[in-house]
Amino acid sequence: MADAGTVTVGVIANPASGRDIRRLVSGASVFDNGEKGNMVYRFMVGLAAVGVGRVLMMPAASGLYDSLERTLRAAGRSSVEEKRPMPELELVEMTVRHTARDTIDALAEMGRRSVAAIVVLGGDGTSRVVARHCSADTPLCTLSTGTNNAFPEMREATVAGMATGLVATGRVGEEALRREKILRVGLNGDDRHDCALVDVAVNSERFVGARALWRPRNISEIVVSSARPDAVGLSSIAGLLEPTGRDAPHGLHIRLAPPATAETVLTVPSPRPRRPGRVEEVSRVEPGETVALSPAPGASPWTGSGR
């Protein structure tokens, strides 16, 4: 078991999560950066409770770090009497570009510093970027601060900090961790690949625009790692057909038909109930299996965004 005071935990907090175009078109909730800063503080309080000595954090603009700094100053004044030591906070020295490159650069430095665990505050897209670029052996604690998230969960940050600290200091072992499934996305046998944690969809829209899927009729195929009928988004289509838990060893591949020829129509959970059309085929995807997608001309795979 490591000396808790020498353990470093990384923090990736995406200031852009929970603020995309869905706030304008579908009434999605806003997750402000002041609350994200407060969540980082509560996470650090949880780490302090189990003795973690240092936090290495990606720089965050748009008021997120300002909120955290104010809360830390106020806590510092009150902790003089209470003698509550907090982990030392250090920001990664890096150029902030306000793109996904920020997360990638911060993860590279965290890898060089051998952080014992990383907490991710963001949505599905942020979690995807982290999963792609961090070490496969680094434990992740993903907290939802995005939109309609299927991968990160809503957790109280203080409890999450305590749990992460127990893992980082070795007080609990691998029995407390879960290895998640991942979808590898490649093009025509190219060794380079992207990845997804929840779903990959084939969309016939020619222009990415705001990186949002507007027309369900343009989606022809979906591959999911897990599926719940009460999820919000594309994975709920699979969840209504064959619920597949995150602990299930397989995923699902679904082919959809144009709505005009639909015989069976699913109404799936979304800010606006949508009908994706008739399901032509549902098949299981086993670990390591390759699924060849058949996009129409101009179509593109979709795995979500993130910073």
Side-chain angles (χ1 to χ4, degrees):
M1 184 174 68
D3 177 7
T6 65
V7 169
T8 300
V9 171
V11 173
I12 299 290
N14 183 358
S17 65
R19 301 171 62 191
D20 61 40
I21 196 171
R22 281 168 286 187
R23 275 88 200 147
L24 301 177
V25 300
S26 63
S29 60
V30 176
F31 208 114
D32 68 81
N33 285 329
E35 173 56 18
K36 293 175 194 173
N38 290 337
M39 285 180 66
V40 175
Y41 169 75
R42 298 198 303 272
F43 183 81
M44 292 177 63
V45 169
L47 292 177
V50 295
V52 172
R54 179 179 291 270
V55 166
L56 182 62
M57 181 178 173
M58 178 182 79
S62 301
L64 195 161
Y65 179 74
D66 294 338
S67 171
L68 171 60
E69 189 177 38
R70 285 194 300 270
T71 307
L72 284 172
R73 284 200 303 267
R77 290 191 294 270
S78 64
S79 65
V80 173
E81 296 179 359
E82 300 177 20
K83 297 182 179 179
R84 292 183 302 162
M86 289 285 284
E88 182 180 348
L89 176 63
E90 178 184 352
L91 296 183
V92 176
E93 293 187 8
M94 53 180 277
T95 300
V96 177
R97 299 177 173 85
H98 305 287
T99 68
R101 189 76 225 176
D102 293 346
T103 295
I104 296 170
D105 291 345
L107 288 170
E109 179 60 23
M110 291 176 187
R112 285 190 287 269
R113 299 277 292 273
S114 299
V115 298
I118 297 174
V119 63
V120 184
L121 280 71
D124 291 331
T126 309
S127 297
R128 177 181 67 85
V129 173
V130 172
R132 181 181 178 189
H133 293 280
C134 78
S135 167
D137 296 325
T138 302
L140 301 179
C141 174
T142 56
L143 301 180
S144 174
T145 61
T147 310
N148 303 336
N149 299 143
F151 185 80
E153 299 179 348
M154 296 293 294
R155 302 282 187 185
E156 167 48 44
T158 310
V159 177
M162 294 177 67
T164 303
L166 291 172
V167 170
T169 57
R171 299 185 195 182
V172 297
E174 293 189 1
E175 70 278 0
L177 304 177
R178 177 177 63 199
R179 181 72 69 175
E180 296 285 354
K181 292 175 281 188
I182 193 168
L183 299 169
R184 304 286 184 185
V185 184
L187 179 64
N188 299 331
D190 193 327
D191 290 338
R192 295 171 297 178
H193 65 267
D194 205 331
C195 73
L197 300 178
V198 181
D199 52 50
V200 176
V202 177
N203 175 40
S204 60
E205 292 278 5
R206 297 189 61 186
F207 301 100
V208 173
R211 299 184 68 81
L213 299 178
W214 302 110
R215 302 178 180 88
R217 66 176 180 271
N218 293 333
I219 301 171
S220 57
E221 294 183 70
I222 305 169
V223 180
V224 301
S225 61
S226 61
R228 299 191 342 257
D230 62 337
V232 178
L234 296 179
S235 66
S236 64
I237 300 172
L240 290 170
L241 297 167
E242 185 177 332
T244 303
R246 289 167 70 157
D247 57 347
H250 62 276
L252 296 175
H253 175 212
I254 300 96
R255 294 184 187 275
L256 302 175
T261 62
E263 296 176 0
T264 301
V265 176
L266 300 174
T267 300
V268 301
S270 77
R272 297 176 180 175
R274 298 176 176 180
R275 298 185 174 187
R278 178 170 58 85
V279 177
E280 279 192 327
E281 179 184 356
V282 180
S283 57
R284 291 193 174 189
V285 180
E286 302 299 333
E289 181 180 352
T290 298
V291 176
L293 302 178
S294 304
S300 60
W302 178 263
T303 62
S305 59
R307 174 185 162 187

